[in-house]
Amino acid sequence: MRRLLQPHVELAVSLAAVVVLPIVLPSIAMATEVVIFIIATLGCNLLIGYVGLMSFGQAIFFGVGAYACSLTLLHSHVGIGAGLLAAIAASAIVALFVGFLSTQKRGIYFVMLTFAFSQMFYFIAYAMAGLTGGDNGLLDIPRPPLVLFHVTLLSLTPPLEMYGLAAVVFVALFVFLQRVITSPFGSTLQAIRENEQRAIAVGYNTRNFKVIAFVLSGVVTGIAGALYALFLQFAPLGNIDVSMSERIIVMSILGGTGSLFGSVLGGTFYVVAGNMLSAIWPRWLLLLGLILMVVGCYLQGGLLGAAERLARRIGRRGPRAMTPAASNKPVGRP
Amino acid sequence: MSLYLIQLINGLGIGMIYFMISVGLSIIFGTMNFVNFAHGAFYLLGAYLCYAVVAATGSFWLALAVAPPAMALTGWFAERYLLSRLYHAPHQYQILVTLGLALVIQEGVMLVWGAIGQNVATPVLLQGVVVFGSFVYPKYRLFVIGFTALLTFVLWLALERTRYGAILRAGTESTEMVALLGIDIFRMFSFTFALGAYLAGLAGGLTAPISGADPFMGPGALSVAFVVVVIGGIGSFSGALAGGLLIGVVQSEMSSLWSEGANIMIYVAMALVILVRPRGLLGRA
């Protein structure tokens, strides 16, 4: 399936976005939040867009990543790298557990299982107030400078340096995920999305592929959670709330699944619109709800799909391909 | 002893409310294989409509007569003009649209009635307590248990003894087969949605004098309803009743001991049921 943007173009546009965001957005803090949520959305997109799995468990990994990084930095004097590694390890372990169990079921039962796990981990985090701070969250998380071989790369005190860290991590993960989805492993994932029975018939152990994709997705989301904790210097209980999963899912589908660049659009749109509209009108979520209904009914390719359709209509030069929107067209009442 | 008894009765009341929220969700899930994330918002809107009628007229009974049918109409419209487009779409779009609808209802409620919760006065007739020797219990809560039990019986009769009930029960087995018999299943879907929204709205109205109407009561009710639906068995009326009462009583009895523990437990139970016994306690295989 050819897309409007080829992978290297997507990467170039994403790099450009990283440079432009802190300049065009009203604050560097907002740009940092955008980039962090794009990372979380990339993780979710890997599952929805490339394996066809809709996980309500993303908040677990976002929250666990945030807690693991925060606790490491709060209780020891190791560097920021160790905090991020702790987030990666913790979210990988939890994602392996949740993914191993959830992928036993398909379709809506998978969704319900991830939903149950998400609530379970929320109440566990709430109950373990001694560790997680419960309702208050973890406060005053240190943000040590990024040091490599005794050379301070980033002090992380000015907002732009925190943005730089998030941006570098984002670009690295974007390239990594592009490699993953264009690899034979990624092609197998897409085969599972298109027709799991056939993938099984060809001889793939689709369970294993789904679990690995789930862990990858959990780790990417966990890194986003860790960066969010570093950025806020605060790890609220809300990180692990199922509404965080919903937020990440909404960003993914709104931007467009089936292409990593969709996540860049979705994350940017949600965070920027959220920040700007909520300042003007506290009920902006009403608009978001209407947008979700329109996207779900008419624009199933999301923002990226809409852009592709527009480009095709204008140019008729763009690649003509069978879009997912055409094949998934909702069938109304006969 | 009497504390546990009172918590048991509290739990039965909460459980009946859970049942009324869940039963529509369960039947919709069972017949249309459609997960309605806006179901919690129906419960929320039911509570607020009840509040609005009480605030305007002062009559709780009028509110109870008017608000749930208004919710049935809302559910019918939502199904007919929005959700029915999505029956053939992949489930992520069904979830996206119903999440959107839930947001629209929740934010709409805050737009009209404000972001702070509202209290609904207990009707005069049911204020005060009932005293049986050493046993003292609020009248209104007893009324809720009695009223919902009566309603459950009526619903059960309707499902078991009427033609529509037979169609609905057949629908949870196989909608294709029902359609082949020449029954308009799309009309049945609309009606089922209306019924589900009616019951969720009624549950909201009945809870309002106990815990008030709060703009954020939707998501919590929805996730408990998911637990009830899964544990009872998807599409099962008696399962939703058993599941609702079980969750209500467990939560109530655990509330003074370890309430977070109760919440962890019910989601562990939900995951276990999906993994080990997907048809639930009382669902058909």
Side-chain angles (χ1 to χ4, degrees):
Chain A
M1 178 171 63
R2 288 185 63 194
R3 310 287 315 198
L4 178 66
L5 300 175
Q6 294 301 306
H8 57 275
V9 183
E10 288 194 345
L11 179 61
V13 178
S14 304
L15 277 172
V18 161
V19 176
V20 170
L21 278 174
I23 303 169
V24 289
L25 291 181
S27 72
I28 293 170
M30 197 193 286
T32 314
E33 201 183 330
V34 166
V35 169
I36 289 170
F37 276 102
I38 292 175
I39 297 174
T41 309
L42 286 174
C44 185
N45 197 350
L46 179 70
L47 284 183
I48 299 188
Y50 294 89
V51 205
L53 294 174
M54 186 174 196
S55 157
F56 269 77
Q58 299 310 100
I60 304 173
F61 317 123
F62 195 86
V64 164
Y67 285 134
C69 179
S70 311
L71 288 170
T72 308
L73 295 178
L74 277 171
H75 297 297
S76 68
H77 292 287
V78 290
I80 211 155
L84 288 173
L85 281 178
I88 291 172
S91 51
I93 292 166
V94 176
L96 183 64
F97 170 75
V98 174
F100 179 79
L101 291 173
S102 300
T103 52
Q104 303 220 351
K105 297 289 163 187
R106 299 199 172 90
I108 202 68
Y109 288 91
F110 172 85
V111 178
M112 288 283 115
L113 265 176
T114 54
F115 186 89
F117 281 116
S118 191
Q119 291 282 14
M120 206 187 293
F121 277 90
Y122 170 83
F123 284 110
I124 290 172
Y126 183 78
M128 288 167 65
L131 192 65
T132 63
D135 224 359
N136 299 324
L138 290 170
L139 305 167
D140 301 324
I141 296 160
R143 195 200 285 161
L146 182 65
V147 179
L148 196 66
F149 302 118
H150 305 290
V151 181
T152 305
L153 296 177
L154 288 170
S155 73
L156 296 180
T157 347
L160 195 59
E161 294 198 6
M162 181 62 220
Y163 176 78
L165 176 69
V168 167
V169 173
F170 158 64
V171 173
L173 286 174
F174 194 88
V175 173
F176 169 70
L177 287 174
Q178 272 195 331
R179 296 292 290 265
V180 167
I181 58 180
T182 49
S183 69
F185 172 78
S187 311
T188 314
L189 291 183
Q190 288 165 65
I192 295 171
R193 177 192 68 194
E194 294 303 320
N195 190 332
E196 185 169 358
Q197 293 309 319
R198 199 174 286 172
I200 294 170
V202 173
Y204 287 111
N205 185 341
T206 58
R207 251 312 283 296
N208 290 353
F209 279 86
K210 288 200 273 187
V211 174
I212 294 169
F214 200 92
V215 172
L216 277 179
S217 164
V219 167
V220 171
T221 310
I223 293 173
L227 288 172
Y228 198 50
L230 288 173
F231 164 60
L232 296 178
Q233 302 196 281
F234 169 48
L237 186 62
N239 279 349
I240 204 165
D241 192 303
V242 73
S243 65
M244 180 61 85
S245 297
E246 289 177 4
R247 202 193 296 180
I248 295 172
I249 287 173
V250 164
M251 289 181 199
S252 306
I253 304 184
L254 205 58
T257 53
S259 158
L260 292 178
F261 189 66
S263 302
V264 178
L265 289 179
T268 310
F269 177 82
Y270 190 104
V271 176
V272 172
N275 274 310
M276 292 192 165
L277 289 176
S278 64
I280 309 170
W281 191 42
R283 298 280 76 79
W284 79 278
L285 285 171
L286 184 77
L287 280 181
L288 181 72
L290 290 173
I291 293 173
L292 296 188
M293 295 200 285
V294 171
V295 169
C297 289
Y298 301 106
L299 274 177
Q300 297 188 344
L303 291 173
L304 190 66
E308 284 178 346
R309 225 186 280 179
L310 195 68
R312 210 164 298 131
R313 195 165 295 172
I314 293 171
R316 282 276 168 223
R317 314 178 275 128
R320 282 192 209 177
M322 180 66 173
T323 61
S327 51
N328 295 337
K329 211 163 202 150
V331 182
R333 227 169 250 267
Chain B
M1 173 62 210
S2 92
L3 175 70
Y4 288 108
L5 182 66
I6 283 177
Q7 280 180 339
L8 177 71
I9 301 171
N10 277 342
L12 289 178
I14 297 166
M16 290 306 285
I17 296 286
Y18 286 167
F19 160 68
M20 300 216 335
I21 303 169
S22 313
V23 67
L25 191 69
S26 182
I27 295 176
I28 291 163
F29 199 159
T31 47
M32 300 162 224
N33 201 18
F34 185 97
V35 183
N36 179 18
F37 274 75
H39 206 74
F42 291 164
Y43 166 72
L44 161 73
L45 191 52
Y48 266 92
L49 287 180
C50 185
Y51 159 77
V53 176
V54 173
T57 66
S59 167
F60 180 76
W61 305 110
L62 186 67
L64 221 48
V66 170
M71 282 317 301
L73 207 62
T74 311
W76 185 83
F77 262 102
E79 195 279 342
R80 186 78 177 75
Y81 294 103
L82 181 69
L83 307 179
S84 62
R85 300 165 178 279
L86 296 161
Y87 289 144
H88 297 276
H91 60 253
Q92 60 249 43
Y93 298 110
Q94 303 176 344
I95 293 173
L96 191 74
V97 171
T98 49
L99 275 178
L101 180 60
L103 267 184
V104 168
I105 293 177
Q106 180 178 313
E107 298 297 311
V109 160
M110 283 194 264
L111 203 61
V112 177
W113 290 288
I116 301 161
Q118 304 284 356
N119 288 318
V120 175
T122 309
V124 182
L125 190 65
L126 297 172
Q127 281 169 0
V129 293
V130 179
V131 183
F132 281 118
S134 68
F135 176 76
V136 179
Y137 200 75
K139 273 187 199 166
Y140 182 76
R141 283 176 181 251
L142 276 184
F143 159 76
V144 168
I145 296 174
F147 182 76
T148 49
L150 183 72
L151 195 81
T152 307
F153 181 67
V154 172
L155 262 178
W156 177 80
L157 271 186
L159 276 176
E160 293 293 320
R161 296 279 187 273
T162 65
R163 187 181 142 75
Y164 175 76
I167 295 173
L168 204 65
R169 279 182 295 128
T172 54
E173 292 267 314
S174 164
T175 39
E176 283 86 2
M177 197 56 96
V178 175
L180 279 174
L181 293 171
I183 290 159
D184 183 352
I185 52 166
F186 288 102
R187 238 177 66 195
M188 176 186 107
F189 288 172
S190 305
F191 186 87
T192 310
F193 241 93
L195 179 69
Y198 176 89
L199 292 171
L202 187 59
L206 286 172
T207 331
I210 300 174
S211 47
D214 179 279
F216 300 104
M217 65 202 264
L222 180 72
S223 62
V224 172
F226 281 150
V227 180
V228 171
V229 167
V230 165
I231 289 182
I234 291 161
S236 163
F237 177 84
S238 47
L241 181 61
L245 290 176
L246 184 70
I247 304 295
V249 170
V250 167
Q251 272 189 341
S252 180
E253 292 287 352
M254 292 278 288
S255 64
S256 54
L257 302 171
W258 191 35
S259 64
E260 300 94 335
N263 281 319
I264 298 172
M265 258 166 55
I266 66 172
Y267 291 104
V268 170
M270 175 178 174
L272 275 179
V273 167
I274 300 178
L275 285 169
V276 180
R277 194 183 159 90
R279 66 198 160 101
L281 293 179
L282 296 170
R284 280 176 292 246

Short mmCIF file of all heavy atoms in Angstrom, two decimals, chain B residues 251-280:
data_model
loop_
_atom_site.label_atom_id
_atom_site.label_comp_id
_atom_site.label_asym_id
_atom_site.label_seq_id
_atom_site.Cartn_x
_atom_site.Cartn_y
_atom_site.Cartn_z
N GLN B 251 -18.60 -4.80 47.16
CA GLN B 251 -18.08 -3.44 47.37
C GLN B 251 -18.55 -2.87 48.70
O GLN B 251 -17.79 -2.23 49.42
CB GLN B 251 -18.55 -2.52 46.23
CG GLN B 251 -17.63 -2.53 45.05
CD GLN B 251 -18.00 -1.46 44.05
OE1 GLN B 251 -19.11 -0.96 44.06
NE2 GLN B 251 -17.08 -1.13 43.18
N SER B 252 -19.83 -3.11 49.00
CA SER B 252 -20.39 -2.53 50.21
C SER B 252 -19.78 -3.16 51.46
O SER B 252 -19.41 -2.46 52.41
CB SER B 252 -21.91 -2.72 50.18
OG SER B 252 -22.48 -2.17 51.32
N GLU B 253 -19.67 -4.47 51.48
CA GLU B 253 -19.11 -5.15 52.65
C GLU B 253 -17.64 -4.81 52.84
O GLU B 253 -17.14 -4.74 53.96
CB GLU B 253 -19.28 -6.68 52.53
CG GLU B 253 -20.72 -7.17 52.62
CD GLU B 253 -21.29 -7.08 54.04
OE1 GLU B 253 -20.54 -6.79 54.98
OE2 GLU B 253 -22.51 -7.29 54.19
N MET B 254 -16.93 -4.62 51.71
CA MET B 254 -15.50 -4.34 51.81
C MET B 254 -15.22 -2.87 52.11
O MET B 254 -14.09 -2.50 52.41
CB MET B 254 -14.79 -4.71 50.50
CG MET B 254 -14.73 -6.18 50.20
SD MET B 254 -13.39 -7.03 51.06
CE MET B 254 -11.95 -6.43 50.16
N SER B 255 -16.27 -2.03 52.00
CA SER B 255 -16.01 -0.58 52.02
C SER B 255 -15.37 -0.15 53.34
O SER B 255 -14.53 0.74 53.35
CB SER B 255 -17.30 0.19 51.77
OG SER B 255 -18.20 -0.07 52.83
N SER B 256 -15.77 -0.79 54.46
CA SER B 256 -15.17 -0.37 55.72
C SER B 256 -13.87 -1.12 55.99
O SER B 256 -13.07 -0.70 56.82
CB SER B 256 -16.15 -0.62 56.86
OG SER B 256 -16.56 -1.97 56.84
N LEU B 257 -13.66 -2.24 55.29
CA LEU B 257 -12.44 -3.00 55.52
C LEU B 257 -11.30 -2.49 54.64
O LEU B 257 -10.28 -2.00 55.11
CB LEU B 257 -12.68 -4.49 55.22
CG LEU B 257 -13.80 -5.14 56.03
CD1 LEU B 257 -14.11 -6.53 55.50
CD2 LEU B 257 -13.40 -5.23 57.49
N TRP B 258 -11.49 -2.59 53.32
CA TRP B 258 -10.42 -2.21 52.41
C TRP B 258 -11.03 -1.93 51.04
O TRP B 258 -11.13 -2.83 50.22
CB TRP B 258 -9.38 -3.34 52.32
CG TRP B 258 -8.13 -2.95 51.62
CD1 TRP B 258 -7.53 -1.74 51.65
CD2 TRP B 258 -7.32 -3.77 50.77
NE1 TRP B 258 -6.39 -1.75 50.88
CE2 TRP B 258 -6.24 -2.98 50.34
CE3 TRP B 258 -7.40 -5.10 50.34
CZ2 TRP B 258 -5.25 -3.47 49.49
CZ3 TRP B 258 -6.41 -5.59 49.51
CH2 TRP B 258 -5.35 -4.78 49.09
N SER B 259 -11.48 -0.68 50.82
CA SER B 259 -12.27 -0.44 49.63
C SER B 259 -11.43 -0.50 48.35
O SER B 259 -11.90 -0.95 47.31
CB SER B 259 -13.02 0.88 49.73
OG SER B 259 -12.12 1.94 49.79
N GLU B 260 -10.14 -0.07 48.43
CA GLU B 260 -9.30 -0.18 47.21
C GLU B 260 -9.14 -1.65 46.86
O GLU B 260 -9.13 -2.02 45.69
CB GLU B 260 -7.91 0.41 47.40
CG GLU B 260 -7.88 1.87 47.76
CD GLU B 260 -7.81 2.07 49.26
OE1 GLU B 260 -8.24 1.16 50.01
OE2 GLU B 260 -7.32 3.12 49.69
N GLY B 261 -9.00 -2.46 47.90
CA GLY B 261 -8.85 -3.90 47.68
C GLY B 261 -10.05 -4.47 46.94
O GLY B 261 -9.91 -5.27 46.02
N ALA B 262 -11.25 -4.01 47.32
CA ALA B 262 -12.45 -4.48 46.64
C ALA B 262 -12.41 -4.11 45.17
O ALA B 262 -12.75 -4.91 44.30
CB ALA B 262 -13.69 -3.87 47.30
N ASN B 263 -11.93 -2.88 44.88
CA ASN B 263 -11.88 -2.45 43.49
C ASN B 263 -10.84 -3.24 42.70
O ASN B 263 -11.07 -3.58 41.55
CB ASN B 263 -11.59 -0.96 43.41
CG ASN B 263 -12.84 -0.15 43.68
OD1 ASN B 263 -13.91 -0.51 43.21
ND2 ASN B 263 -12.72 0.90 44.47
N ILE B 264 -9.68 -3.51 43.34
CA ILE B 264 -8.69 -4.33 42.64
C ILE B 264 -9.30 -5.70 42.35
O ILE B 264 -9.22 -6.20 41.23
CB ILE B 264 -7.39 -4.47 43.47
CG1 ILE B 264 -6.75 -3.10 43.69
CG2 ILE B 264 -6.41 -5.41 42.79
CD1 ILE B 264 -5.58 -3.11 44.66
N MET B 265 -9.97 -6.26 43.37
CA MET B 265 -10.53 -7.60 43.24
C MET B 265 -11.54 -7.71 42.10
O MET B 265 -11.52 -8.68 41.34
CB MET B 265 -11.23 -8.00 44.54
CG MET B 265 -10.45 -8.94 45.40
SD MET B 265 -11.17 -9.01 47.05
CE MET B 265 -12.86 -9.45 46.73
N ILE B 266 -12.43 -6.70 41.97
CA ILE B 266 -13.46 -6.87 40.95
C ILE B 266 -12.85 -6.83 39.53
O ILE B 266 -13.33 -7.52 38.64
CB ILE B 266 -14.64 -5.87 41.08
CG1 ILE B 266 -14.21 -4.45 40.83
CG2 ILE B 266 -15.34 -6.02 42.42
CD1 ILE B 266 -15.40 -3.49 40.78
N TYR B 267 -11.78 -6.07 39.36
CA TYR B 267 -11.17 -6.06 38.02
C TYR B 267 -10.33 -7.31 37.79
O TYR B 267 -10.22 -7.78 36.64
CB TYR B 267 -10.38 -4.77 37.79
CG TYR B 267 -11.32 -3.60 37.69
CD1 TYR B 267 -11.47 -2.70 38.74
CD2 TYR B 267 -12.13 -3.44 36.57
CE1 TYR B 267 -12.39 -1.66 38.68
CE2 TYR B 267 -13.05 -2.40 36.50
CZ TYR B 267 -13.17 -1.52 37.55
OH TYR B 267 -14.08 -0.50 37.47
N VAL B 268 -9.74 -7.84 38.86
CA VAL B 268 -9.06 -9.14 38.73
C VAL B 268 -10.09 -10.19 38.32
O VAL B 268 -9.88 -10.99 37.40
CB VAL B 268 -8.36 -9.55 40.05
CG1 VAL B 268 -7.87 -10.99 39.97
CG2 VAL B 268 -7.20 -8.62 40.35
N ALA B 269 -11.26 -10.14 38.98
CA ALA B 269 -12.32 -11.10 38.64
C ALA B 269 -12.76 -10.93 37.20
O ALA B 269 -12.96 -11.91 36.47
CB ALA B 269 -13.51 -10.90 39.59
N MET B 270 -12.87 -9.68 36.75
CA MET B 270 -13.29 -9.43 35.36
C MET B 270 -12.30 -10.05 34.38
O MET B 270 -12.68 -10.76 33.44
CB MET B 270 -13.39 -7.92 35.12
CG MET B 270 -13.69 -7.52 33.69
SD MET B 270 -13.86 -5.73 33.57
CE MET B 270 -14.03 -5.53 31.79
N ALA B 271 -10.99 -9.81 34.62
CA ALA B 271 -9.97 -10.36 33.72
C ALA B 271 -10.00 -11.88 33.76
O ALA B 271 -9.94 -12.54 32.72
CB ALA B 271 -8.59 -9.83 34.11
N LEU B 272 -10.14 -12.45 34.96
CA LEU B 272 -10.15 -13.91 35.09
C LEU B 272 -11.33 -14.52 34.34
O LEU B 272 -11.19 -15.53 33.66
CB LEU B 272 -10.23 -14.31 36.56
CG LEU B 272 -8.89 -14.38 37.30
CD1 LEU B 272 -9.11 -14.75 38.76
CD2 LEU B 272 -7.97 -15.39 36.63
N VAL B 273 -12.51 -13.87 34.47
CA VAL B 273 -13.68 -14.42 33.79
C VAL B 273 -13.47 -14.41 32.28
O VAL B 273 -13.76 -15.39 31.59
CB VAL B 273 -14.96 -13.64 34.19
CG1 VAL B 273 -16.11 -13.99 33.27
CG2 VAL B 273 -15.32 -13.96 35.63
N ILE B 274 -12.93 -13.30 31.73
CA ILE B 274 -12.72 -13.27 30.27
C ILE B 274 -11.74 -14.36 29.85
O ILE B 274 -11.92 -15.03 28.84
CB ILE B 274 -12.19 -11.89 29.81
CG1 ILE B 274 -13.17 -10.80 30.17
CG2 ILE B 274 -11.95 -11.89 28.31
CD1 ILE B 274 -12.69 -9.41 29.79
N LEU B 275 -10.71 -14.56 30.67
CA LEU B 275 -9.67 -15.51 30.29
C LEU B 275 -10.14 -16.96 30.45
O LEU B 275 -9.85 -17.80 29.62
CB LEU B 275 -8.41 -15.28 31.13
CG LEU B 275 -7.59 -14.06 30.75
CD1 LEU B 275 -6.53 -13.78 31.78
CD2 LEU B 275 -6.94 -14.27 29.38
N VAL B 276 -10.84 -17.22 31.55
CA VAL B 276 -11.11 -18.61 31.90
C VAL B 276 -12.53 -19.04 31.53
O VAL B 276 -12.75 -20.16 31.12
CB VAL B 276 -10.86 -18.82 33.41
CG1 VAL B 276 -11.13 -20.26 33.80
CG2 VAL B 276 -9.45 -18.43 33.77
N ARG B 277 -13.47 -18.13 31.67
CA ARG B 277 -14.87 -18.50 31.43
C ARG B 277 -15.59 -17.35 30.74
O ARG B 277 -16.38 -16.63 31.34
CB ARG B 277 -15.54 -18.82 32.77
CG ARG B 277 -16.86 -19.53 32.65
CD ARG B 277 -17.48 -19.72 34.03
NE ARG B 277 -18.91 -19.94 33.93
CZ ARG B 277 -19.46 -21.14 33.79
NH1 ARG B 277 -18.71 -22.20 33.76
NH2 ARG B 277 -20.76 -21.26 33.69
N PRO B 278 -15.29 -17.16 29.43
CA PRO B 278 -15.77 -15.95 28.74
C PRO B 278 -17.28 -15.84 28.72
O PRO B 278 -17.80 -14.74 28.53
CB PRO B 278 -15.22 -16.10 27.33
CG PRO B 278 -14.30 -17.24 27.34
CD PRO B 278 -14.45 -18.00 28.59
N ARG B 279 -18.01 -16.93 28.93
CA ARG B 279 -19.47 -16.77 28.90
C ARG B 279 -20.01 -16.28 30.23
O ARG B 279 -21.21 -16.07 30.38
CB ARG B 279 -20.15 -18.06 28.48
CG ARG B 279 -20.00 -19.20 29.45
CD ARG B 279 -20.32 -20.49 28.72
NE ARG B 279 -19.79 -21.64 29.39
CZ ARG B 279 -20.51 -22.45 30.17
NH1 ARG B 279 -21.77 -22.19 30.40
NH2 ARG B 279 -19.96 -23.49 30.74
N GLY B 280 -19.14 -16.08 31.23
CA GLY B 280 -19.57 -15.51 32.49
C GLY B 280 -20.28 -16.52 33.37
O GLY B 280 -20.31 -17.72 33.07
#
